[in-house]
Amino acid sequence: MARYDRAITVFSPDGHLFQVEYALEAVRKGNAAVGVRGTDTVVLGVEKKSVRKIACLDTHIALACAGLKADARVLINRARVECQSHRLTVEDPVTVEYITRYIAGLQQKYTQSGGVRPFGLSTLIVGFDPYTDKPALYQTDPSGTFSAWKANATGRNSNSMREFLEKNYKETSGKETIKLAIRALLEVVESGGKNIEVAVMTKKDGLRELEEAEIDEYVAEIEAEKAAAEAAKKGAPKDT
Amino acid sequence: MECVLGVVGRDFAVVAADTSAVQSILVHKTDEDKVMVLDSHKLMGASGEPGDRVQFTEFIQKNLHLYQFRNTIPLSTAAAANFTRGELATALRKNPYMVNIILGGYDKDVGASLYYIDYIATLHKIDKGAFGYGSYFCLSLMDKLYHPDMTVEEAVDLVDKCIKEIRLRLVVAPQNFVIKIVDKDGAREYARRELVGDNAPVDAAITVAA
């Protein structure tokens, strides 16, 4: 019987796990995804290609990812089963941190097991804590590390999006949170409802995917604000 | 002895069950809800071994939810009934679940439907049915009084007549019942019928004695 159990992810002499770093390359080539946390809303936005990228894990948890979509299906399926299994055994819904820890743990396992390669994706996980009602945003990556964020981006051109968010992030709620997420995405994606997918999660209504027309409305608002800001900048020096 | 019964009306199904939890000569509680809301448009009334009842109905409910998260659409009532029967059948010759089920649901394309699933994995699609010693009385009443396309009032009246008969004629009769309904607007509790316990009307005992 051929042996399929030798370790594939092993250390290099200078302490790198190249397979994990190569997996991060796969993420860097994946579609752009952004997540923004507000006071009462969390928003996920992704660059739209053929495949639906925002998945519902439970009534109060959603996930977006960048990287190998086929790997994503496996992780998302395991996470969905874990959400229900948790409800069955302890009669309580998972917290966002719990399911993030679970997914990250799974990603880590595949960097330290025989015969397997790491998952080629980073995830953005959003949801509401069922006990504190606070919104949360977490990110995981192929190495299996995870952390909480106020806003973050992954996938193609994530550096530009992150730069934008670092400059422009402030505590927002409701529509302002949605606008902030879309503005970040528009930095790297061609504008228009048909190029981006946006999902909004609120405590009351759970996850809601925005319609193309709605996204176009937000984009129009954003462009108008940008134009007004430009005009104000040009107008002010002339007055003095 | 535990009773579960169900009736199909015009675009709705009613599932009712007693709410007693009994162990030998002790009544643990009189408000045990045995009709589980499986999802937005399905009800599962179950009777039998208490541990198996809770374990099995919760297991079915969580698997229905998982299906919905994986596929974005819910399972139909027929599919859920067949899935339930399949699980009972698989466990039957290893570690059987001693649970009898009346499953009621509403689907947009099919309307209301009711399924009879017994503990040895018999599956029947029915208009009216009942489990337990109470069924000896309920089924006869239903045979006489049921007709297709009943209104909610007529169906609940039939269920009330069944409850009255169970209370009267069964030697160790359960006193309290829960009635749940499922229609196009979803599955929900319709009413309770309580003669004993904290929520029973103050003069209930007097009425029964007279």
Side-chain angles (χ1 to χ4, degrees):
Chain A
M1 203 46 206
R3 288 194 167 260
Y4 286 99
D5 56 359
R6 72 166 178 84
I8 295 175
T9 311
V10 289
F11 281 113
S12 70
D14 58 347
H16 290 245
L17 286 171
F18 279 123
Q19 280 302 300
V20 174
E21 293 183 12
Y22 298 156
L24 279 159
E25 262 306 304
V27 170
R28 248 169 259 138
K29 292 194 163 57
N31 296 326
V34 68
V36 178
R37 184 189 85 191
T39 53
D40 60 357
T41 312
V42 261
V43 182
L44 279 174
V46 292
E47 193 184 344
K48 183 142 84 178
K49 283 290 156 78
S50 46
V51 185
R52 282 271 312 279
K53 241 101 354 74
I54 301 177
C56 213
L57 298 185
D58 203 340
T59 51
H60 61 303
I61 314 251
L63 173 149
C65 53
L68 268 47
K69 296 308 169 202
D71 286 4
R73 271 209 310 275
V74 174
L75 270 183
I76 289 169
N77 189 42
R78 295 285 295 269
R80 283 174 171 155
V81 173
E82 179 61 21
C83 283
Q84 293 307 312
S85 181
H86 187 275
R87 280 180 185 262
L88 187 58
T89 47
V90 304
E91 282 222 0
D92 271 333
V94 296
T95 58
V96 192
E97 202 244 346
Y98 176 94
I99 199 66
T100 306
R101 210 173 336 118
Y102 177 82
I103 291 173
L106 211 49
Q107 287 180 289
Q108 192 281 339
K109 218 182 290 230
Y110 279 67
T111 68
Q112 207 178 8
S113 300
V116 298
R117 61 159 174 81
F119 287 99
L121 70 146
S122 290
T123 70
L124 286 169
I125 299 164
V126 298
F128 280 84
D129 190 306
Y131 311 103
T132 62
D133 285 347
K134 285 212 173 72
L137 167 67
Y138 283 86
Q139 188 196 40
T140 74
D141 64 28
S143 66
T145 49
F146 72 96
S147 39
W149 294 86
K150 290 183 180 173
N152 205 345
T154 180
R156 216 200 325 259
N157 301 123
S158 59
N159 288 325
S160 318
M161 287 192 279
R162 220 170 286 128
E163 237 179 82
F164 173 86
L165 288 168
E166 278 173 20
K167 245 198 288 191
N168 294 288
Y169 178 86
K170 54 186 196 310
E171 286 277 313
T172 52
S173 68
K175 289 201 162 152
E176 288 305 309
T177 318
I178 304 175
K179 264 205 271 192
L180 186 55
I182 296 180
R183 277 167 65 203
L185 254 187
L186 288 178
E187 293 282 309
V188 302
V189 176
E190 285 167 44
S191 81
K194 53 182 168 45
N195 291 317
I196 54 180
E197 225 175 270
V198 180
V200 183
M201 179 164 280
T202 49
K203 177 77 198 169
K204 209 165 39 87
D205 304 319
L207 187 75
R208 194 173 68 88
E209 296 251 356
L210 294 190
E211 310 253 330
E212 212 177 287
E214 269 184 275
I215 300 176
D216 282 330
E217 261 181 58
Y218 278 108
V219 171
E221 245 183 85
I222 290 166
E223 314 248 279
E225 280 173 11
K226 241 199 268 190
E230 288 284 317
K233 245 199 294 187
K234 288 210 182 98
K238 281 194 187 141
D239 284 348
T240 50
Chain B
M1 219 342 277
E2 299 186 358
C3 313
V4 187
L5 54 134
V7 152
V8 168
R10 182 181 307 151
D11 297 327
F12 71 91
V14 172
V15 178
D18 75 285
T19 58
S20 67
V22 174
Q23 198 119 21
S24 123
I25 58 165
L26 175 68
V27 178
H28 282 297
K29 57 193 297 215
T30 53
D31 58 356
E32 172 81 358
D33 189 350
K34 299 175 197 168
V35 183
M36 171 163 279
V37 176
L38 289 185
D39 70 15
S40 63
H41 289 75
K42 286 180 197 53
L43 290 172
M44 178 177 269
S47 70
E49 202 60 57
D52 282 351
R53 170 171 58 77
V54 173
Q55 181 80 343
F56 187 71
T57 54
E58 284 188 353
F59 170 72
I60 297 293
Q61 185 198 53
K62 299 301 185 263
N63 272 289
L64 287 191
H65 289 177
L66 183 62
Y67 181 93
Q68 191 158 354
F69 281 113
R70 278 182 170 147
N71 302 292
T72 66
I73 53 162
L75 264 178
S76 65
T77 309
N82 278 282
F83 169 68
T84 305
R85 191 213 82 86
E87 289 300 316
L88 287 168
T90 308
L92 180 62
R93 294 184 195 273
K94 295 184 187 137
N95 193 9
Y97 292 104
M98 302 298 285
V99 193
N100 295 312
I101 288 161
I102 299 276
L103 193 152
Y106 182 88
D107 306 288
K108 247 203 328 219
D109 48 350
V110 170
S113 47
L114 198 67
Y115 287 87
Y116 170 106
I117 310 169
D118 79 6
Y119 73 104
I120 39 177
T122 310
L123 174 68
H124 291 304
K125 186 173 184 304
I126 51 171
D127 288 331
K128 55 206 187 298
F131 274 112
Y133 286 124
S135 69
Y136 289 114
F137 312 114
C138 297
L139 288 170
S140 313
L141 270 172
M142 287 167 173
D143 284 346
K144 183 80 182 166
L145 299 172
Y146 175 87
H147 59 90
D149 284 331
M150 292 196 291
T151 63
V152 177
E153 289 72 31
E154 288 174 324
V156 174
D157 185 61
L158 174 53
V159 171
D160 276 331
K161 288 192 163 77
C162 293
I163 291 172
K164 189 171 172 192
E165 199 66 16
I166 291 168
R167 280 173 173 162
L168 182 62
R169 289 297 185 185
L170 213 43
V171 63
V172 208
Q175 294 301 313
N176 293 354
F177 288 79
V178 63
I179 304 175
K180 295 199 182 179
I181 191 171
V182 57
D183 59 16
K184 66 171 177 18
D185 300 323
R188 59 195 177 279
E189 187 175 301
Y190 179 85
R192 297 245 171 176
R193 303 286 187 240
E194 292 175 312
L195 278 185
V196 298
D198 296 329
N199 297 318
V202 172
D203 53 356
I206 304 170
T207 322
V208 168

